[in-house]
Amino acid sequence: MSIDWPAIRGLYPALQNRTFLNTATFGQLSRRTVEAMTGHFAHRDELACSDFLGWFEDHDRLRGKLATLIQAEAADIAFLPNSNAGLAILMHSIDWRAGDEILTLEGEFPNNIYAPAYLSDRGVKLIEAPWPRLLEAINERTRLVAVSSVNYTTGFRVPLAELASALDGRDIRFYVDATQMLGAVRFDFGAMEPDMLAVNCYKWMLAPNGVGLMAVSARQRARMEPLSIGWRSHHDWRNVDNLHLGTPVLVETAEKYEGGMLPSSLLYGLEASVDLMLELGPAAIEQRVLELASKTRAALRGMGGEPLPFDDTAIIAARLPGRDASVVARALKQAGVMVSARHGLLRVSTHFYNDEQDIERLIAAL
């Protein structure tokens, strides 16, 4: 199927008057996404929310679509406000003891550093190691390995299959934050089998901020209790005329980690974004994104930049000899070209709604 990429770009009004190459910071909303949310608000007014139980059926439909996107099962999917909420549930499920260790990569996103480091007063040690020394750091004291699938600063894409193989058969929790990957590059949850995959959907998933998802393996669900209990914790919560008044009996699916109401308007927006991604095809999106990223790296090299040698991600990080990346990013913003700077690197991020003209305007502005 031939995809009309200019028509797809036209679905994103924010791109009309600016050169936006900064999805690693914030994704843009399509007209379809906004219409799905406003349609929900109109529906609320029409029926005065009297059909609210039906909204949950719609969100179960979204679980199935997300499962298709990441090669998981609908039972694996739960909705979150953000990715660190998933990490919190996972970390609270572990009986920490003094001497335990948590492994993460050097230069990780703060979520994967702050939360583990907060356990230091219990004698739990956070180990930060570069790849591939992370593999060598795994030992009998390791209780959790928490990594981002793609580094938010450099664009380094972690060899997750190799890491999963190293953890196979060990009593070590494996957590992956795919916020900087999912929606641009494919992720096969079934093949990778982390204990938990968490995603904040306002970046590459092109959803409103305030909604995320996690996929939790069946083995992890069997040993991980919810962090909070609410009216939706009991398996028969849809029987609102006679809600259970005793100790809740939990379901075995990941839904048990939600507990209460869901942000329905945001989930309808997310569903519209997922529908578009499934319509385009994850493979076609990945090809488009990585081709644009490759062209961006080549263009930066052509004008004297030094992009880092990672060619399998949508994040392009480059050194600009003799120039301050933060100053450059601010000047580009004034010129209508939106990128970012992270730890001395100019960070450019291409999604499927970008095009070659965006790259040309970036280079001209530099």
Side-chain angles (χ1 to χ4, degrees):
M1 179 186 74
S2 178
I3 298 175
D4 186 347
W5 291 113
I8 297 301
R9 180 185 176 93
L11 294 174
Y12 295 86
L15 307 183
Q16 290 180 356
N17 301 312
R18 59 181 58 82
T19 301
F20 182 81
L21 291 160
N22 200 22
T23 300
T25 298
F26 240 106
Q28 296 305 315
L29 301 183
S30 74
R31 288 190 174 90
R32 295 185 188 181
T33 292
V34 175
E35 288 168 1
M37 291 188 291
T38 57
H40 170 64
F41 290 133
H43 184 75
R44 286 171 59 109
D45 288 344
E46 180 184 1
L47 297 181
C49 303
S50 59
D51 66 333
F52 75 95
L53 286 176
W55 307 350
F56 292 101
E57 294 176 6
D58 293 343
H59 304 333
D60 286 342
R61 180 183 64 212
L62 174 56
R63 293 182 210 272
K65 294 175 181 179
L66 288 166
T68 298
L69 187 68
I70 66 171
Q71 303 298 299
E73 301 293 333
D76 300 329
I77 307 295
F79 299 116
L80 301 168
N82 46 53
S83 57
N84 61 287
L87 180 58
I89 296 170
L90 177 58
M91 290 186 62
H92 278 274
S93 74
I94 299 174
D95 181 20
W96 298 104
R97 297 180 177 88
D100 288 344
E101 294 181 353
I102 301 172
L103 298 185
T104 194
L105 284 162
E106 282 187 350
E108 258 289 357
F109 190 69
N111 284 2
N112 294 346
I113 297 173
Y114 294 172
Y118 200 68
L119 293 175
S120 61
D121 61 349
R122 300 193 200 178
V124 177
K125 186 176 182 181
L126 172 64
I127 307 293
E128 300 174 68
W131 186 267
R133 279 171 43 198
L134 181 76
L135 298 175
E136 302 167 8
I138 300 170
N139 60 52
E140 67 280 358
R141 296 183 299 277
T142 307
R143 302 292 304 282
L144 169 65
V145 175
V147 297
S148 297
S149 55
V150 171
N151 184 272
Y152 81 113
T153 296
T154 65
F156 172 64
R157 184 170 167 182
V158 179
L160 291 172
E162 188 175 351
L163 181 52
S165 178
L167 297 174
D168 188 39
R170 297 172 181 251
D171 186 22
I172 300 172
R173 306 299 193 271
F174 182 25
Y175 169 86
V176 177
D177 186 327
T179 297
Q180 294 288 13
M181 179 180 188
L182 192 63
V185 180
R186 288 173 288 177
F187 190 99
D188 191 330
F189 180 81
M192 206 71 58
E193 269 201 309
D195 291 289
M196 181 184 289
L197 169 76
V199 180
N200 210 334
C201 294
Y202 73 96
K203 297 190 186 225
W204 301 94
M205 290 295 291
L206 308 179
N209 51 300
V211 64
L213 67 98
M214 66 178 177
V216 186
S217 69
R219 69 174 181 276
Q220 181 60 18
R221 296 199 304 271
R223 62 188 178 185
M224 185 172 73
E225 296 298 319
L227 186 58
S228 62
I229 299 292
W231 71 275
R232 286 183 57 235
S233 296
H234 185 62
H235 71 95
D236 193 30
W237 60 266
R238 293 175 194 262
N239 182 13
V240 294
D241 288 359
N242 295 284
L243 285 174
H244 180 65
L245 298 180
T247 302
V249 177
L250 306 181
V251 295
E252 295 181 357
T253 67
E255 183 186 34
K256 68 181 179 180
Y257 301 111
E258 294 169 358
M261 287 299 295
L262 293 173
S264 291
S265 61
L266 305 183
L267 289 173
Y268 283 113
L270 172 60
E271 184 174 20
S273 181
V274 172
D275 283 343
L276 178 59
M277 290 176 179
L278 293 175
E279 176 186 324
L280 297 173
I285 290 173
E286 179 176 303
Q287 180 180 1
R288 169 77 172 174
V289 167
L290 295 185
E291 283 179 355
L292 289 170
S294 178
K295 290 178 180 180
T296 303
R297 292 184 183 93
L300 286 168
R301 282 193 294 269
M303 51 78 61
E306 299 175 353
L308 300 185
F310 307 133
D311 59 4
D312 56 355
T313 85
I315 295 178
I316 305 100
R319 297 183 180 88
L320 301 176
R323 303 176 71 181
D324 184 302
S326 294
V327 172
V328 171
R330 287 194 292 270
L332 287 171
K333 183 177 180 180
Q334 291 296 316
V337 179
M338 302 181 70
V339 296
S340 59
R342 295 292 184 270
H343 299 286
L345 298 168
L346 189 72
R347 190 184 71 179
V348 182
S349 42
T350 53
H351 212 334
F352 62 73
Y353 48 42
N354 289 118
D355 57 24
E356 287 77 5
Q357 287 70 43
D358 288 333
I359 300 170
E360 292 171 4
R361 286 190 288 269
L362 167 67
I363 299 304
L366 282 170

